[in-house]
């Protein structure tokens, strides 16, 4: 099975953004080629992106409650970071999968940040990827959080604090009113 993202399907005023998001996803998936737990880029011609389908359930449906899942998810995240990719959207449970074999998977790399050199900005964003994984671990297996993980959860990056205090409300308004969807508090995107 193949997942297809066709930029032409976006509203005319959003096509530029859709093209940039598809290009980001293609760049990230190309760099992550060969890593289990992420889709394979099959084709991107600047207008249509095709990637492999990953069999499994989104985190909010599968509700992983075993320590092995979160250990493997942390290793998967480390693999991304070693390849110079930050996902940037792991706060959303639908972007985490519990694959059919029980292992973790990630989808939706439209906001991914890719760099050859892992400078300061990359490290800050990578830490936020980890913090978002830990938020999900806190939801499903809080008893497994270590003291260090609790500290990471308690100290979001400056940009995350500023975002929450300022632009997040505007983002929700745009996502809900203009695009007609939202995360719906971990229950998946809802279209109206």
């Amino acid at each position: 099975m193949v997942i297809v993202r066709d930029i032409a399907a976006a509203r005319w005023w959003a096509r530029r953004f859709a093209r940039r998001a598809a290009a980001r996803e293609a760049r990230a998936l190309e760099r992550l080629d060969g890593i289990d737990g992420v889709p394979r880029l099959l084709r991107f011609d600047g207008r249509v992106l095709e990637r492999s389908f990953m069999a499994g359930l989104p985190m909010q449906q599968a509700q992983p409650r075993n320590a092995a899942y979160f250990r493997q998810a942390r290793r998967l995240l480390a693999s991304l970071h070693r390849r110079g990719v930050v996902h940037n959207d792991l706060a959303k449970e639908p972007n985490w999968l519990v694959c059919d074999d029980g292992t973790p998977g990630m989808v939706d790399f439209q906001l991914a940040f890719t760099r050859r050199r892992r400078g300061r900005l990359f490290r800050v964003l990578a830490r936020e990827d980890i913090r978002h994984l830990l938020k999900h671990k806190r939801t499903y297996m809080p008893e497994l959080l270590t003291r260090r993980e609790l500290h990471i959860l308690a100290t979001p990056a400056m940009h995350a604090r500023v975002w929450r205090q300022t632009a997040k409300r505007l983002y929700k308004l745009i996502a809900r009113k203009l695009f007609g969807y939202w995360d719906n508090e971990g229950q998946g995107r809802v279209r109206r």
Side-chain angles (χ1 to χ4, degrees), residues 1-189:
M1 183 183 261
V2 175
I3 304 299
V4 177
R5 291 184 192 225
D6 188 344
I7 292 164
R11 295 178 181 151
W12 67 268
W13 52 267
R15 285 193 189 123
R16 182 175 174 186
F17 301 108
R19 184 171 285 113
R20 284 192 74 195
R24 281 176 167 258
E25 182 160 22
R27 195 168 38 252
L29 293 179
E30 187 174 61
R31 191 169 287 191
L32 299 172
D33 188 45
I35 294 179
D36 289 333
V38 297
R40 305 288 175 259
L41 177 65
L42 304 174
R43 179 177 80 93
F44 179 59
D45 64 8
R47 188 180 75 83
V48 175
L49 182 140
E50 293 179 356
R51 68 163 178 84
S52 64
F53 172 77
M54 293 182 61
L57 290 173
M59 180 182 274
Q60 75 275 8
Q61 290 177 7
Q63 299 189 2
R65 297 195 188 273
N66 71 55
Y69 176 87
F70 289 99
R71 275 194 308 274
Q72 292 168 345
R74 180 63 186 93
R75 282 190 215 116
L76 176 57
L77 202 45
S79 296
L80 264 70
H81 295 162
R82 275 193 300 276
R83 295 266 183 112
V85 176
V86 172
H87 188 284
N88 256 344
D89 204 15
L90 293 176
K92 294 179 183 168
E93 288 182 295
N95 291 343
W96 282 101
L97 296 180
V98 178
C99 297
D100 285 349
D101 64 0
T103 61
M106 291 180 208
V107 295
D108 194 1
F109 285 82
Q110 295 181 80
L111 298 179
F113 180 76
T114 56
R115 289 294 182 264
R116 293 222 181 274
R117 297 183 64 219
R118 296 181 295 181
R120 180 184 164 101
L121 177 60
F122 182 93
R123 290 190 308 273
V124 167
L125 296 175
R127 184 182 184 277
E128 285 300 289
D129 272 357
I130 294 166
R131 192 173 67 80
H132 290 304
L133 172 61
L134 294 176
K135 286 168 74 173
H136 301 311
K137 185 176 178 180
R138 179 177 60 197
T139 298
Y140 297 107
M141 305 219 51
E143 67 279 4
L144 295 181
L145 289 167
T146 66
R147 184 169 297 182
R148 182 172 183 267
E149 290 172 338
L150 290 167
H151 175 73
I152 291 170
L153 280 168
T155 55
M158 176 62 78
H159 76 277
R161 292 192 304 267
V162 170
W163 166 259
R164 219 180 2 231
Q165 297 298 318
T166 59
K168 189 169 184 177
R169 288 183 184 152
L170 178 61
Y171 165 79
K172 285 181 175 180
L173 177 70
I174 291 170
R176 292 174 182 178
K177 298 297 181 187
L178 293 179
F179 293 107
Y181 69 86
W182 60 87
D183 184 15
N184 200 25
E185 300 303 317
Q187 297 181 32
R189 288 188 175 143

